[in-house]
Amino acid sequence: MKLRDLEYLVALADHRNFHRAAEICHVSQPTLSGQIRKLEEMLGFDLFERAPRNLLITDAGREVLTHARRVLAEIGHIRDISASRAKGGAQRLRLGVFPTLGPYFLPCLVPAFVARFPRTELILQEAKSSQLIRQLVDGQLDAALLALPVSEPGLTGLSLFSEPFRLAVPAAHPLAGRKRISAAEMSGQRLMLLESGHCLRDQALDLCRISGAEEVDDFRGTSLETLRQMVIAGMGMTLLPRLACTGSGGLSCIAIADPGFVRRIGLFWRKSNSRIEVMNSLGDLIADTARGQGLRLDDTA
């Protein structure tokens, strides 16, 4: 068994497509497919259930996959140590961030990170929160920015800052001239929301239940930018995190006079991670960056 075989296994399990997995691993599809077959023959059981246009991982495959991720994560740590020694103390930090925060927060965080940690290589991974949590647990990430609450027992972290939501309406909407609106005034309003899988959708649905607002049934946005463009086009209204309202020409973002219309953001890592000082320093930097963006820090930050 070779480490490369485990990399093929993880890539195929993540993407459920031989062609895409081969691209990720920078090999031909026949090479990857053949190595997976050889691995199955060596183990004596199938890792995947193959059907036309459908690839499922078997129960035995899931067991092997869990250990394969751990092995590759440990190899990654060994390589980091090697790189640190070779470059005079340089380190690598793999940070995950979810897509409704990353595009609006990272442009401020990354330059600050480079300035404060000049000898650390920052590798960023953007994915939905459920994927980030899985990658953290499996050792593919060192830390991740996540919306609270996070209940994964193997993780720990810091609650860092809160970001308020705004009601985004078209520039020509009757509410566009308002600077502030009460939660009660949102009762009966119909809001466009993100598709399933985004933590922001779950938060927005909770806020709709609180305020009496309703979801537009026949639309699901794939991204915040999609929602922004739909609002600009006059197709309706939505809830946007405050950072996503910056430079929003063609729409009006109205503050909501209710302290509950916020999302809390924290930094999380595995409890077994020994780089506690690094995580705390990163948390301080993220909090400083949030403060610079005018966001309220949590008491525990």
Side-chain angles (χ1 to χ4, degrees):
M1 187 183 300
K2 300 178 180 179
L3 288 176
R4 196 63 172 148
D5 296 335
L6 301 185
E7 291 174 351
Y8 295 159
L9 167 62
V10 170
L12 187 56
D14 286 345
H15 297 281
R16 305 298 173 93
N17 181 280
F18 280 97
H19 179 71
R20 180 59 181 152
E23 286 184 338
I24 294 296
C25 295
H26 305 290
V27 296
S28 67
Q29 182 173 331
T31 295
L32 184 138
S33 180
Q35 288 303 116
I36 291 293
R37 277 295 188 192
K38 288 181 180 179
L39 182 58
E40 290 176 321
E41 290 172 2
M42 186 194 71
L43 293 172
F45 52 78
D46 288 342
L47 296 168
F48 295 93
E49 180 182 326
R50 298 159 176 83
R53 299 185 180 181
N54 194 20
L55 184 70
L56 301 174
I57 189 165
T58 64
D59 290 341
R62 289 192 185 90
E63 291 186 50
V64 174
L65 178 64
T66 298
H67 294 285
R69 292 189 191 279
R70 290 174 183 170
V71 169
L72 293 176
E74 291 302 323
I75 292 296
H77 293 323
I78 293 173
R79 287 172 176 161
D80 288 345
I81 293 171
S82 175
S84 175
R85 296 290 184 181
K87 298 178 181 179
Q91 297 184 29
R92 174 183 297 172
L93 193 145
R94 299 163 297 180
L95 177 66
V97 61
F98 55 96
T100 60
L101 177 67
Y104 314 103
F105 191 67
L106 289 179
C108 298
L109 176 64
V110 171
F113 182 95
V114 172
R116 188 172 298 189
F117 304 104
R119 304 188 67 82
T120 301
E121 178 186 8
L122 180 63
I123 300 174
L124 297 170
Q125 171 70 42
E126 184 178 89
K128 293 179 181 179
S129 296
S130 58
Q131 294 173 285
L132 294 178
I133 290 174
R134 186 191 70 194
Q135 291 173 337
L136 265 181
V137 171
D138 290 341
Q140 297 173 276
L141 292 174
D142 298 309
L145 282 166
L146 297 167
L148 277 69
V150 174
S151 58
E152 178 62 42
L155 302 181
T156 187
L158 300 168
S159 176
L160 296 176
F161 64 90
S162 297
E163 181 182 15
F165 285 97
R166 300 284 190 255
L167 179 66
V169 301
H173 194 278
L175 293 174
R178 300 277 297 273
K179 291 186 177 181
R180 188 174 295 272
I181 187 173
S182 69
E185 290 178 280
M186 293 177 58
S187 179
Q189 300 286 0
R190 302 182 73 241
L191 305 180
M192 298 181 295
L193 303 181
L194 288 171
E195 64 183 359
S196 298
H198 290 275
C199 60
L200 184 58
R201 170 180 171 79
D202 298 330
Q203 295 161 349
L205 285 173
D206 287 340
L207 297 177
C208 284
R209 284 189 283 268
I210 293 172
S211 64
E214 302 172 0
E215 179 185 8
V216 175
D217 292 330
D218 56 355
F219 177 82
R220 297 287 187 278
T222 57
S223 69
L224 277 188
E225 189 56 33
T226 299
L227 291 180
R228 280 163 48 100
Q229 293 304 320
M230 294 294 286
V231 174
I232 291 172
M235 301 302 293
M237 61 180 67
T238 191
L239 290 172
L240 291 179
R242 206 211 72 183
L243 290 179
C245 295
T246 304
S248 298
L251 57 81
S252 177
C253 293
I254 308 166
I256 302 170
D258 187 315
F261 276 70
V262 299
R263 64 176 181 180
R264 296 173 60 212
I265 308 298
L267 179 70
F268 290 84
W269 60 90
R270 289 180 302 283
K271 291 179 179 178
S272 59
N273 193 323
S274 61
R275 302 164 67 183
I276 304 303
E277 291 185 6
V278 173
M279 296 302 148
N280 286 327
S281 296
L282 178 59
D284 290 341
L285 175 62
I286 293 170
D288 289 344
T289 303
R291 183 188 294 109
Q293 295 300 300
L295 300 176
R296 184 179 66 83
L297 301 188
D298 283 0
D299 295 337
T300 54

